Amino acid sequence: MNYKINEMFETIQGEGSFTGQPSIFIRLQGCPVGCSWCDTKHTWDVEQSDEIAIVDVLAKTQETSKWSASSEEQLLDTVKAQGWQAKHIVITGGEPCMYDLRPLCDTFENAGYSIQVETSGTFEVLVSDKCWVTVSPKINMKGGLEVLAQAIDRANEIKHPVATEHHVDELKALLNQFNANHKPVYLQPISQKQRATELAINTCIANNWRLSIQVHKYIGIE
């Protein structure tokens, strides 16, 4: 497989079940979902004129739509060459499930890494059996894509951005639709504003859900 890579970096996972886990992020290019609050809109479009070498991706100092095509073996070699110590790989985007991620999962797992995929749930999730799948269901977005039952069923956790009660109502309806109320649910304020955070806290307490506050943004890391 060739994967279009927008970013690769080592950091601390700031969201969901793996908050605090040293992680290597692999951000893939391409996403048709169209979330209005997306903070990685530079990953949406795939233009051939934006293709660059992987060394130039690693050297990025700002967000751009530039990407590099790399196989799973080349990505593993790149991680080793960087000397990164983290053993947890987070595949994100963009929308990573536009790709068949099974070769990527297998390659890294065979080398001793754990894998986590963060997806909108609007594409079939093709990953290894051991991969941890975080579905952040994108409901009624501009792209018009539906959240898939297969994605919700495969999810190890549901992580849902919220700003208003409407977002909470949408999530509850989705969980009921797919009989997924047994899944671990994290609510994540869309912004760091007090109103969104208070809504998430109160809703988590009322429903015995969990809070995800994007720790990396509060402590000022990538």
Side-chain angles (χ1 to χ4, degrees), residues 118-185:
E118 298 183 342
T119 175
S120 65
T122 58
F123 285 81
E124 185 177 3
V125 180
L126 300 176
V127 296
S128 65
D129 290 341
K130 293 188 291 184
C131 177
W132 182 273
V133 177
T134 301
V135 173
S136 182
K138 298 305 186 288
I139 306 165
N140 297 324
M141 293 295 129
K142 184 178 179 180
L145 300 175
E146 297 290 331
V147 176
L148 302 182
Q150 186 270 348
I152 297 297
D153 184 62
R154 181 58 183 82
N156 296 100
E157 65 180 359
I158 307 292
K159 179 166 59 71
H160 193 59
V162 295
T164 68
E165 290 283 357
H166 178 65
H167 297 133
V168 176
D169 293 339
E170 284 183 328
L171 175 60
K172 289 181 176 180
L174 187 79
L175 294 175
N176 288 331
Q177 176 185 351
F178 294 119
N179 296 315
N181 287 290
H182 62 286
K183 301 276 185 179
V185 173

Side-chain angles (χ1 to χ4, degrees), residues 11-214:
T11 187
I12 297 291
Q13 171 64 286
E15 303 177 1
S17 297
F18 288 94
T19 295
Q21 176 78 42
S23 303
I24 297 164
F25 275 68
I26 300 177
R27 187 180 304 283
L28 302 183
Q29 189 75 17
C31 183
V33 178
C35 304
S36 60
W37 64 81
C38 178
D39 57 3
T40 57
K41 290 183 178 180
H42 60 284
T43 66
W44 286 9
D45 299 323
V46 178
E47 301 290 347
Q48 286 302 130
S49 59
D50 281 335
E51 184 173 3
I52 57 177
I54 191 65
V55 293
D56 296 320
V57 167
L58 294 168
K60 281 187 181 185
T61 58
Q62 60 184 3
E63 295 178 347
T64 75
S65 59
K66 302 292 186 180
W67 55 270
S68 176
S70 295
S71 69
E72 57 274 14
E73 293 88 358
Q74 289 171 327
L75 289 171
L76 178 59
D77 289 343
T78 298
V79 167
K80 291 180 176 179
Q82 290 299 110
W84 290 328
Q85 297 301 303
K87 291 297 182 180
H88 184 66
I89 305 293
V90 181
I91 307 172
T92 186
E95 174 43 70
C97 288
M98 291 173 62
Y99 300 83
D100 183 346
L101 298 173
R102 289 171 293 190
L104 185 56
C105 291
D106 291 343
T107 297
F108 275 94
E109 286 172 351
N110 289 337
Y113 293 84
S114 59
I115 302 288
Q116 177 184 4
V117 169
E118 298 183 342
T119 175
S120 65
T122 58
F123 285 81
E124 185 177 3
V125 180
L126 300 176
V127 296
S128 65
D129 290 341
K130 293 188 291 184
C131 177
W132 182 273
V133 177
T134 301
V135 173
S136 182
K138 298 305 186 288
I139 306 165
N140 297 324
M141 293 295 129
K142 184 178 179 180
L145 300 175
E146 297 290 331
V147 176
L148 302 182
Q150 186 270 348
I152 297 297
D153 184 62
R154 181 58 183 82
N156 296 100
E157 65 180 359
I158 307 292
K159 179 166 59 71
H160 193 59
V162 295
T164 68
E165 290 283 357
H166 178 65
H167 297 133
V168 176
D169 293 339
E170 284 183 328
L171 175 60
K172 289 181 176 180
L174 187 79
L175 294 175
N176 288 331
Q177 176 185 351
F178 294 119
N179 296 315
N181 287 290
H182 62 286
K183 301 276 185 179
V185 173
Y186 285 82
L187 286 193
Q188 186 163 289
I190 287 176
S191 69
Q192 280 71 56
K193 294 180 179 178
Q194 183 176 356
R195 180 179 177 182
T197 302
E198 287 180 350
L199 171 64
I201 290 171
N202 293 335
T203 305
C204 285
I205 292 171
N207 294 275
N208 198 29
W209 293 343
R210 306 173 190 183
L211 181 68
S212 177
I213 59 169
Q214 296 186 293

